[in-house]
Amino acid sequence: MQTRQTITIVTSPPVNTRSLPPLGGLASPTATKAPVYRVEERSRTIYVSSDVDPSQWDTHSLNTMFTLTETPESGLDVFAEQPIRRTKSHVDNQYIITEDVPDRSEELRVTSPRVSVYRSRRPGVKSANASLCPPPPDNPRRSSPVKASSSRSRILFYHKYDPHYGFTNFSPHPVIYNGKKYPTSEHLFQSFKFQQHRPNLAEHIRTCSERPSVAFSEARRFQPEIRPDWKQVNIEKMDETLFHKFTQHADLQAELLATGDAELVEDSDKDAFWGVGADRKGRNELGKCLERLRAKLRGNGF
């Protein structure tokens, strides 16, 4: 008779992690100034039930399990015949603090601490109240276009299962523009590359698929047909895209206004123009667009 093994895959620190010491009590034996700490949030633990040894797991099946939504207890028998089955996940905000060693030479490069102060929007999640240390003082050796000022907190967004995914153009929020429905704001933004001179291509981008990734890929496929001044107007068109999206979805508008004056950062390691890029020094133009929109909505009394 086959024996079932239950394998637990932990993607966040254990729930019984020791309490964090007071920030004021941490000190580095070599530091002459107050140490700087990197604060990172870990929020998901996924449980997978398996009939086979982990060394024999199929990567494709695992990736599929990780992207599934929460499976209710009553529906677990649906996956009973699968060799690798996701059973449930545990979501609980935790903060991990490690000392961020200052830059001491031209050969050593340390990125700015990535501090997020958001609270989770997932149902049933208890938000953890953490006292976060302020960002480090300005260092001329580490100038960054997206470095937060000492008086502003930073809110990171990008990944599908993290808070504020609605701030990205890939979120499932349709947008109406000139009487036509676009599946996502990404569809509308990509169509702007062709609307004036190639309306047939713009319509193709709108209707090619419900998936924003397909709209993005199709726009790249027709790269030679993109309007020649696109690099001069792309930020303006992003502003326009976001305005239509957030004014048509009251929940997103409220979520954006609730961020106060925090710096909004698209935490993408793949895009150094709209996000911060792999080196954390990108232009973060999407975050800046959202901040401009937030100010505009607030100024108009929304």
Side-chain angles (χ1 to χ4, degrees), residues 9-302:
I9 299 178
V10 180
T11 57
S12 66
V15 178
N16 60 355
T17 302
R18 293 169 51 191
S19 300
L20 297 175
L23 291 179
L26 296 173
S28 170
T30 60
T32 57
K33 297 182 180 180
V36 176
Y37 296 93
R38 182 185 303 276
V39 181
E40 300 183 39
E41 184 184 19
R42 295 292 182 267
S43 59
R44 299 182 69 217
T45 301
I46 299 174
Y47 296 87
V48 175
S49 180
S50 174
D51 298 318
V52 297
D53 188 85
S55 63
Q56 301 176 15
W57 284 2
D58 176 68
T59 303
H60 176 73
S61 298
L62 264 183
N63 289 336
T64 302
M65 290 298 103
F66 292 160
T67 57
L68 286 177
T69 56
E70 191 71 42
T71 304
E73 293 290 336
S74 60
L76 294 181
D77 55 344
V78 176
F79 302 98
E81 300 303 322
Q82 300 295 328
I84 305 174
R85 299 170 296 282
R86 172 167 169 184
T87 58
K88 61 180 180 178
S89 64
H90 172 73
V91 183
D92 192 6
N93 284 14
Q94 296 185 27
Y95 294 90
I96 303 303
I97 299 182
T98 55
E99 185 170 350
D100 193 8
V101 181
D103 186 12
R104 301 184 185 279
S105 69
E106 292 297 335
E107 291 77 17
L108 296 177
R109 295 178 60 191
V110 182
T111 57
S112 300
R114 298 167 55 197
V115 178
S116 175
V117 296
Y118 54 66
R119 292 184 177 183
S120 176
R121 293 183 293 144
R122 301 185 183 96
V125 177
K126 295 181 180 180
S127 298
N129 295 323
S131 178
L132 302 179
C133 62
D138 290 343
N139 187 332
R141 293 182 182 178
R142 292 194 293 163
S143 59
S144 169
V146 298
K147 181 166 55 180
S149 64
S150 58
S151 61
R152 297 180 70 197
S153 59
R154 307 178 79 194
I155 292 179
L156 311 182
F157 64 92
Y158 180 65
H159 297 288
K160 186 174 183 178
Y161 297 106
D162 287 340
H164 306 300
Y165 184 65
F167 291 179
T168 73
N169 281 327
F170 275 43
S171 70
H173 293 87
V175 179
I176 305 297
Y177 179 77
N178 284 346
K180 294 182 178 181
K181 182 179 179 180
Y182 292 76
T184 68
S185 55
E186 182 70 14
H187 287 74
L188 177 58
F189 178 70
Q190 295 297 336
S191 75
F192 277 139
K193 296 177 178 180
F194 312 100
Q195 283 195 14
Q196 286 188 340
H197 64 300
R198 292 297 303 273
N200 58 326
L201 285 180
E203 184 67 7
H204 170 70
I205 297 298
R206 184 179 76 87
T207 60
C208 62
S209 172
E210 293 289 310
R211 297 168 55 192
S213 59
V214 176
F216 175 81
S217 298
E218 286 297 283
R220 293 192 67 176
R221 187 162 72 93
F222 293 102
Q223 183 78 23
E225 304 295 331
I226 294 177
R227 55 186 292 179
D229 64 341
W230 179 246
K231 289 186 178 180
Q232 285 72 52
V233 302
N234 59 350
I235 293 178
E236 173 189 335
K237 290 303 180 182
M238 181 64 79
D239 285 332
E240 184 177 355
T241 297
L242 295 176
F243 177 82
H244 288 292
K245 175 180 179 177
F246 280 79
T247 55
Q248 292 175 27
H249 295 278
D251 57 333
L252 289 181
Q253 187 176 134
E255 184 180 349
L256 179 61
L257 292 174
T259 60
D261 65 345
E263 182 183 17
L264 305 180
V265 179
E266 188 190 44
D267 193 28
S268 170
D269 59 353
K270 301 177 179 65
D271 191 335
F273 181 81
W274 297 111
V276 292
D279 63 356
R280 328 306 309 162
K281 295 183 179 182
R283 292 177 55 170
N284 186 39
E285 291 297 338
L286 180 58
K288 295 174 184 177
C289 286
L290 287 165
E291 291 184 35
R292 285 194 297 271
L293 176 60
R294 181 178 62 189
K296 182 176 182 178
L297 295 174
R298 190 171 289 146
N300 289 339
F302 284 89

